[in-house]
Amino acid sequence: MPNPITPIMQGMKITLGHLFKKPITLMYPEERPKVAERFRGLHALKVSHDKAKCVACYLCPTVCPAKCITVEAGEDANHDKYAARYEIDILRCIFCGYCVEACPVDALKMTGEFELANYRREDFVFTKERLLEKK
Amino acid sequence: MVTLTIDDKQVQVEKDATIYEAAKAAGINIPILCHDKKLKPFGACRMCLVEVEQMKGRLIPACTTPVTEGMIVRSSTPPVEKARKLVLELLLLNHPLDCPVCDKGGDCDLQNLAYDHKVNVNRLNDEKFHHVIDYNNPLIERDQNRCVLCGKCVRICDEIVSRGALTFISRGIETKIGTEFDGPLSCEFCGSCISVCPVGALLARPFKFKSRFWALQKKTSVCGYCGTGCSVTLGVKDNKVLTTVYDENQGFHNGQLCVRGRFGYQFISSDKRLKSPLIRKNGQLVEAGWDEALELVANRLKGAGASAAALATPRMTNEELVLLKQLMTQQVGSANIDHSAGYAHAALTEGLAKSFGVAAAPSSILDIQKSDLLLVIKSDAYETHPVVGFEINLAVKNKGVDLQILSDKRGKLGKLPKANTLLHKPGSEVALLNAIAKVLIDENLAGAAASVTGYAELAAGLAAFAPEQVAAQCGVSADAIKQLARTYAAAEKALIVFPVGLAYPAHTAQLAHAAANLAILAGKLGKEGSGLLVLQEKNNSQGAVDVGFVPGNGGMTAQQILDGCLSGSIKTLLVAGENPVVSYPGQSKVKDALQKVDFLVVADLFLTETAQQADVVLPVCSYAEKEGTYTATDRRVQKVTPAIPAVGQSRTEFTVYGDLIRALGGQAPTTPADAFAQIPAYAGIEYAALADDGAFAPVAVKPALVLPVAAATQVEAGKIALLTGAALYHCGTMSHYGEGTVAACPEGYLELSYADAARLQIADGVEVTVASNEGSITLQARISLRMPEGVAFAPYHFAINQVWSGAVVTSVTVSK
Ligand code: SF4
Ligand code: SF4
Ligand code: SF4
Ligand code: SF4
Ligand code: SF4
Ligand code: FES
C-alpha cells in the first residue's frame, strides 16, 4: 500500500509551482483579455460604399442551426435587394459561425466582442443598426 | 408500341414518343432546360443530349428525337456528360451570377443543373450581358440578362395562352426575348411565362424579394375566383400567403392559371381584412366582441320567420351553405334564401332543370379537347373563365377542333385559327338559337329527337323562328344561320359552351333551354366530347345550386328580397359575402333597400360597400383558411384544407352559422364532413376520400324539349346599346382586394367601336359620361376593334350598376 501522504504532497507541489508562474487569472474588467483573431464573438455586418454589404439573400437564416437570424428583404429605388430588416437573437445563437461561412458576398463577420450580458430580453436582439460594423 | 433500350433497360412506349419521354417512363432522368411537357418539342438548349447506337458520330437531343424500334440509347456516357457540361459553361458565360439576389435561386433549373454537373469553374471568359431590365409593368419583371433563350415563354404565350406577347428578336449573341416593338409588355398577365421560365429572367413582381423559394410552405388549394375550379398551390410563410407556386402536374390544367388565380391572391393576407366584428352604435360601426355580435344577430333572427332573408355568395363552401340554409329554413323559419342576384343561376335552376331534369350541365371541361366542334355562345367565355379559354385554344390549335362563336361582340377566341364568329345584335341570342333549332328540325337533321318530350310543341312553337324571319332581328344572314346549323349537326361530337353570371342577364333559363334544345335535337348528349357546358361565375356556383341555396317553397328570390326590404316585409337581412351595392343591378335600388331594412348583417372579409351599410359586420375567413368543398362548374367536387390559420379574429362561416344554429336551439353538424353528407346531390362521394383531383358528381340527364321565349330587346333611337360583362382581370368584386388584379385593371372602362368614337369625337383614354335612365357614371373610353357600331361594353365589377338596372341591353348616351 502506497504512502497515503504521497498524493497530497504531489498536489501541493503543483500548487506551489504555480506561485512562481505568471498567473492565468485575469483581473477582469480592469485587465482585458487578448481575444484570438479567429474568435467567434458578436456578429458585425460589413459596410462598403456606406451601405451594408448584405444583399438579403437569406442564406444565413437558412443555414443557421439555431434559427436565430431574421432577414426581411426590401427593394430599393434602383430595384435592388437589400436587407430592410436584419436581426440576430443572440440569446439563441450558438456562435457556430455557419452564417459567416454561408454568406456569398462576405457581408458578415464575427468580432471579438464577447461582453454580451444585458438586463432585458429585448436587448439581446441585435438589429441591423446595432450590427453594422463600426469603423 | 415501340421497344427500345435505354441504359440497358428495355422500354416500351407509344410510337410518337420522344427519347426523353421514353426515358422518363422508364424512370431514367435526362436533364432538360428548354423542354416542357405542355409545349411542343423545341430543341433549343442541348442539355438533353444522349448517345444513340444507331446514330453514332454525333449526340442526339432526346427531347426532339422520336423513338424507333430497337433504338439503343445511352443517357450518361462520358462524351454526353462532357457535352452537357460545355452547354452549361456556355450558358453561364454571359449569365450574371446574381443567385444571391435572384428570386429564382433555389428553384432555378440552371442553378440545379450547374450544381448537378459540378460546373464550378468556367474554362471560358467573356463579358456579361447588360440588357436593360424591364420594370415597365407592375406584375412581370423581365431581366433578359438571366435569359437562357429556351423559348418556353414565347411558346407558352403562343401555344396555350394564344396571346403572342413575347418573341425572339435580334440575332446571334444579341438575341433576346422581346415584346411588340420592343416596348413595355402589354398582355393579359396570366403569368404563364413566369411559371415556365427555367431561370430568373421572368419574375413575379408582387412577390419580389418576399421570400426564398425554399422557405415557402407549399399548400395546395382551389382557386377562389371563378367556376373553372383550378387547383392552385399557395406559397405560405409566417402564416401569410405570399404567392402562388407553379406545379406543372397540378389539375387538369397542368398548373396553368389566369391572372386572377396567379396574381390575385393578395386579398387573403391583406391588411384591409376585417380585424374584429363591428356593431353599429350611435350610427357608427365600432369594434365589438364575437359574443356580443352573435348574440345580437341571434336575437334578431329568433322567431323572425318570413321577415328574415339571406343572400349568400357562391364563394362559400358547400358545407357553409348547408349550415346557412339550415339556419334560415329550420331555426329562423324563412324560405327567403338566394344567391347571385337570383338570375345568374337561372340557366341551371330553371333552364337545365326543365330541359335536362337536373340543375347541372352534363359535360365537363375535359370534354373540350375531346370534341370536334365547339359552339361558344358569347366570346366573353374567355374573359369569364380564362383557363377554360386555354383549353379551347389547345383544342383548336392542337386538335383541330372547329370553333363556332355566337356573340354580340368579337373577342379573343375569335382570333383562333379558322374560328368563325357570327356577330349578332345584342340580346338576340335566344332567337338565333331558336332559328338554328328550326333549321335542324326542318332539314331533318334531328331525326332521333322526335320522340323526346315536347318535340311537337317545340316544332310548332318555332314556326316564327325561320332563319329568314329572325335574320334581320339578329343581324345575321339566314344563310349563315343555316350553315351553322348544318355544321353543328354534322359534327360527330359537338359541345356548346356559354358563361353565366351576374354580368350576363341575357344568359337566363331561356338561353339554357334554347342551347339544350340544340344538343337534344342534334343528338349531341351522352357522348364524350359532346353536349353542353355552362360556365358558372364563382368558384362554388354549382355547389350553391346543388346545396339548394335558392328560394324554398314560397320563398323570395334575391330581387324580391330587395323589394321586400323596400316595402318593409323583410326586416332582417343577412348578406353573406355578397356585395350587392356594387354587383347587383340597380345600385340606387339596392342602396335604398339596404338602408330601409331594419337590421342588416353582413359577413365578409372586408368592409365592402355593402358592409358599410350594415348594423353588424362579421369578419369571416377566405378559402385559404377553411376546410370544406367547392363544386366547380362541371360538378367536380374539390376539397380545400386550411393553408393558414384564420386571419385576425375572423371565423369560418361554418363556425359562425353553426354557433347561430345552436344559439337558436338547433343542432348543427359539427364537422364539414357531417355537413357534406347531408347534400343529396353528392350522395356517391365520400368526403374523406376526396383527393387532389376531386370527384365528379354524376349528372343524369332526362332530356325534354322546351320552347324558349325570345324576349325582344330594343335600343332607343339614337342611343348606344350598353352591354355589361366580365373583365379578364376580375371576377366579381373580391378581386378588388387583390393588388395584382387591381394593378392589371384598376378601374372601369367603356369599350366603344371606332365608328361610334369618331361620330362622338371621343379619343381613346378620355373620360366619358355614360348616362341611362337609371343614372350616370364616368368611365374611361377605350376604342376597340372588337365592338360593332352602336354597341358599347363596360365590365360590371366597377359599380356599373349606377347606369345598369339588370336589362340585357341598356340604352345609353355617351358624352365627353
Ligand atoms: S453563429 Fe451560428 S447560431 Fe449564431 S447566428 Fe450564425 S449560424 Fe446562427
Ligand atoms: S437565374 Fe438561376 S443561375 Fe441565374 S442568377 Fe438567378 S438563380 Fe442564379
Ligand atoms: S403573362 Fe401571359 S399573356 Fe403575358 S406574356 Fe406572359 S404568357 Fe403571355
Ligand atoms: S425569358 Fe425565361 S422562358 Fe423566356 S426564353 Fe428566356 S429563359 Fe426561357
Ligand atoms: S380560371 Fe378561374 S379558377 Fe382558374 S385560375 Fe383563373 S380565376 Fe382561378
Ligand atoms: S431540353 Fe432538349 S434541347 Fe433543350
Side-chain angles (χ1 to χ4, degrees), chain B residues 13-77:
Chain B
V13 283
E14 296 289 340
K15 72 171 191 294
D16 58 358
T18 59
I19 299 180
Y20 171 75
E21 284 159 353
K24 197 168 177 198
I28 296 165
N29 179 36
I30 297 178
I32 50 168
L33 191 58
C34 73
H35 183 71
D36 192 293
K37 68 168 192 177
K38 294 192 289 191
L39 303 173
K40 294 185 185 135
F42 194 57
C45 73
R46 309 281 130 167
M47 248 338 274
C48 61
L49 293 174
V50 291
E51 254 180 29
V52 177
E53 185 72 40
Q54 286 87 342
M55 301 188 224
K56 266 273 156 73
R58 62 194 169 105
L59 298 174
I60 306 296
C63 73
T64 52
T65 312
V67 293
T68 54
E69 186 64 44
M71 209 176 220
I72 300 171
V73 180
R74 286 192 193 86
S75 76
S76 57
T77 58

Side-chain angles (χ1 to χ4, degrees), chain B residues 92 95-112 114 145-148 198-201 203 212:
Chain B
L92 291 168
H95 189 96
L97 290 177
D98 273 350
C99 305
V101 292
C102 174
D103 264 352
K104 196 70 180 180
D107 184 32
C108 171
D109 288 355
L110 182 60
Q111 212 181 34
N112 291 344
N145 302 309
R146 296 177 187 150
C147 173
V148 294
V199 291
L203 291 171
R212 295 317 304 236

Side-chain angles (χ1 to χ4, degrees), chain B residues 586-661:
Chain B
Q587 189 181 73
S588 53
K589 174 183 153 186
V590 174
K591 273 190 169 163
D592 279 355
L594 299 184
Q595 208 78 61
K596 285 257 168 62
V597 71
D598 265 8
F599 193 71
L600 175 64
V601 186
V602 174
D604 208 307
L605 278 67
F606 301 98
L607 194 62
T608 59
E609 294 79 354
T610 303
Q612 283 162 19
Q613 295 202 13
D615 297 290
V616 176
V617 183
L618 305 173
V620 292
C621 293
S622 73
Y623 74 89
E625 295 145 65
K626 52 196 182 190
E627 184 194 330
T629 57
Y630 291 122
T631 310
T633 203
D634 49 4
R635 255 200 181 174
R636 185 200 290 266
V637 182
Q638 307 188 94
K639 185 154 82 177
V640 289
T641 46
I644 55 170
V647 170
Q649 288 187 42
S650 65
R651 291 185 182 172
T652 65
E653 280 163 277
F654 192 83
T655 326
V656 174
Y657 304 131
D659 286 349
L660 283 173
I661 289 173

Side-chain angles (χ1 to χ4, degrees), chain B residues 100-309:
Chain B
V101 292
C102 174
D103 264 352
K104 196 70 180 180
D107 184 32
C108 171
D109 288 355
L110 182 60
Q111 212 181 34
N112 291 344
L113 288 169
Y115 187 82
D116 289 348
H117 291 82
K118 306 190 180 61
V119 185
N120 34 25
V121 283
N122 209 329
R123 290 170 286 167
L124 314 157
N125 199 353
D126 195 13
E127 222 178 296
K128 298 290 176 194
F129 286 129
H130 25 70
H131 295 291
V132 180
I133 303 171
D134 174 7
Y135 299 108
N136 278 311
N137 72 75
L139 296 176
I140 300 177
E141 176 176 315
R142 299 192 313 119
D143 183 349
Q144 284 306 298
N145 302 309
R146 296 177 187 150
C147 173
V148 294
L149 296 174
C150 68
K152 281 205 227 175
C153 55
V154 175
R155 288 180 286 145
I156 202 161
C157 191
D158 172 34
E159 289 175 26
I160 298 182
V161 186
S162 249
R163 179 78 193 200
L166 298 168
T167 189
F168 288 97
I169 56 176
S170 300
R171 288 292 168 98
I173 190 75
E174 316 254 280
T175 315
K176 62 172 184 177
I177 302 299
T179 52
E180 233 175 25
F181 303 109
D182 212 6
L185 179 63
S186 137
C187 71
E188 56 191 69
F189 298 114
C190 64
S192 302
C193 49
I194 301 180
S195 65
V196 291
C197 182
V199 291
L202 296 171
L203 291 171
R205 292 190 72 186
F207 176 58
K208 195 176 172 193
F209 301 155
K210 290 258 162 68
S211 163
R212 295 317 304 236
F213 183 76
W214 61 80
L216 289 175
Q217 290 171 284
K218 284 96 187 163
K219 305 268 185 156
T220 53
S221 192
V222 178
C223 175
Y225 283 114
C226 84
T228 310
C230 299
S231 311
V232 294
T233 303
L234 300 173
V236 176
K237 192 181 159 195
D238 300 335
N239 292 334
K240 281 198 173 144
V241 174
L242 294 185
T243 185
T244 48
V245 179
Y246 172 61
D247 174 358
E248 63 168 4
N249 296 320
Q250 203 173 22
F252 71 88
H253 47 97
N254 295 318
Q256 283 294 118
L257 297 175
C258 75
V259 57
R260 314 182 295 234
R262 190 177 314 277
F263 286 122
Y265 55 82
Q266 296 91 341
F267 73 92
I268 300 170
S269 298
S270 163
D271 293 340
K272 293 189 198 138
R273 286 282 297 269
L274 286 166
K275 309 249 161 11
S276 76
L278 304 173
I279 296 180
R280 192 169 294 279
K281 288 179 182 157
N282 304 323
Q284 292 292 317
L285 280 173
V286 293
E287 295 199 351
W290 268 104
D291 292 343
E292 188 188 356
L294 284 182
E295 198 184 308
L296 196 59
V297 177
N299 285 339
R300 283 298 306 212
L301 288 176
K302 193 178 286 168
S307 75

